[in-house]
């Protein structure tokens, strides 16, 4: 069996998602939880229905909490070290859905500090500028300033810092070392940083002065942070954060996760039309070497990034199912399948870019410290 590695900084090899769950100790999402979600939301988002979000910690708890009419909030974040690709946007799309369906406020952390600590080449101003640029992609999803609270770490530290200080006092060097694999040459910024990422989980409770747990939809590699947050929540008098975990977005080149060092592995929101088309048409597929073989034996959508993107971005279940079946039967050839995908992505990006430009100059209206 192939080995794989998953940490908040690295994903390598072909990931066995069940094994990963067991390793982290999170739970698989069951039909019971999905049914409860449907009861409250009136529907289930395709990203959950199709099993892309597949695991959780206490998702059942927060739904019941909601059922009791108690307050909760949403939390996610982004390490702003470069442009946003459409894979980054997938959990944000779900976040917006939750915010709309449950009328929830979103705390969105831009970790410019962490990106500065982590990348020897990165200038601090550069990371902060990326935070502003990336915020446009978040706002473009349709958020209003009363629902989206941006926290750019180096700009909006004030409400967070007292909480981070309390968190830091509960975390020992041996714990963070074991959790994140820090070494003697890790800079002390990176060592302190987990307390800031954890602090946001407790921020809504502080701001509202009543227990307000958060739901964090994110990729499963972020689990170590929130496992720590859950371990210390009680002793600090905060409710434990709850999480909903996704698998990774496949790279267009076929790897388990997209990499910033290979721009062809992902479609960026600002890629021009030519680049988008080129990347999709050159993508790795689960297809056969020749059209004849494809017609005869069919392709394999399970290992195919082109199918993966159809699954992520097509809201219509029957259209996705048809692609799966036609791929398997050999009725669909990869070239045609890629053209269909290109059509969907190009439309999504065109609308997204218009909304993104409209958000320019408005980021400060969304910053938490400007509102409290
Ligand atoms: Fe992938 Fe589509 Fe080819 Fe099937 S037909 S292998 S889904 S590109």
């Amino acid at each position: 069996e192939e080995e794989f590695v998953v940490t908040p900084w690295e994903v390598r090899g072909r990931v066995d998602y069940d094994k990963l769950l067991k390793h982290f100790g999170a739970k698989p999402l069951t039909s019971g939880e999905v049914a409860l979600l449907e009861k409250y939301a009136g529907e289930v988002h395709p990203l959950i229905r199709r099993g892309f979000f597949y695991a959780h910690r206490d998702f059942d708890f927060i739904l019941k909490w909601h059922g009791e009419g108690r307050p909760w909030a949403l939390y996610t974040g982004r390490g702003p070290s470069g442009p946003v690709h459409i894979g980054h946007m997938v959990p944000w799309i779900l976040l917006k859905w939750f915010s709309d369906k449950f009328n929830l406020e979103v705390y969105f952390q831009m970790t410019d500090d962490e990106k500065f600590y982590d990348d020897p080449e990165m200038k601090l101003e550069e990371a902060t500028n990326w935070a502003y640029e990336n915020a446009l992609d978040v706002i473009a999803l349709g958020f209003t300033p009363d629902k989206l609270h941006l926290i750019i770490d180096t700009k909006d530290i004030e409400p967070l810092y007292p909480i981070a200080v309390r968190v830091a006092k509960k975390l020992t060097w041996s714990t963070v070392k074991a959790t994140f694999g820090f070494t003697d040459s890790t800079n002390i910024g990176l060592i302190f940083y987990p307390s800031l990422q954890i602090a946001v989980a407790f921020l809504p409770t502080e701001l509202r002065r009543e227990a307000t747990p958060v739901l964090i939809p994110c990729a499963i590699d972020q689990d170590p942070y929130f496992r720590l947050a859950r371990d210390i929540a009680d002793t600090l008098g905060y409710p434990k954060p709850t999480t909903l975990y996704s698998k990774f977005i496949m790279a267009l080149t076929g790897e388990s996760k997209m990499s910033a060092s290979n721009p062809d592995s992902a479609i960026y929101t600002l890629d021009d039309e030519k680049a988008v088309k080129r990347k999709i048409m050159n993508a790795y597929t689960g297809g056969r070497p020749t059209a004849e073989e494809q017609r005869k034996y069919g392709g394999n959508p399970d290992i195919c990034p082109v199918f993966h993107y159809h699954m992520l971005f097509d809201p219509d279940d029957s259209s996705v199912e048809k692609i799966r079946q036609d791929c398997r039967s050999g009725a669909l050839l990869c070239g045609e399948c890629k053209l269909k995908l290109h059509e969907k992505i190009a439309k999504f990006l065109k609308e997204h870019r218009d909304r993104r430009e409209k958000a320019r100059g408005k980021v400060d209206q969304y910053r938490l410290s400007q509102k409290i």
Side-chain angles (χ1 to χ4, degrees), residues 284-288 294 298-308 310 323-324 326-328 332-338:
Y284 174 86
T285 73
R288 302 279 173 176
Q294 177 96 348
N300 182 0
D302 295 341
I303 59 157
C304 178
V306 176
F307 180 74
H308 190 67
H310 278 296
I323 292 168
R324 188 202 303 274
D326 288 352
C327 168
R328 285 219 179 278
L332 181 63
L333 296 182
C334 296
E336 191 190 333
C337 187
K338 287 172 166 176

Side-chain angles (χ1 to χ4, degrees), residues 5 67 140 150:
V5 175
L150 284 175

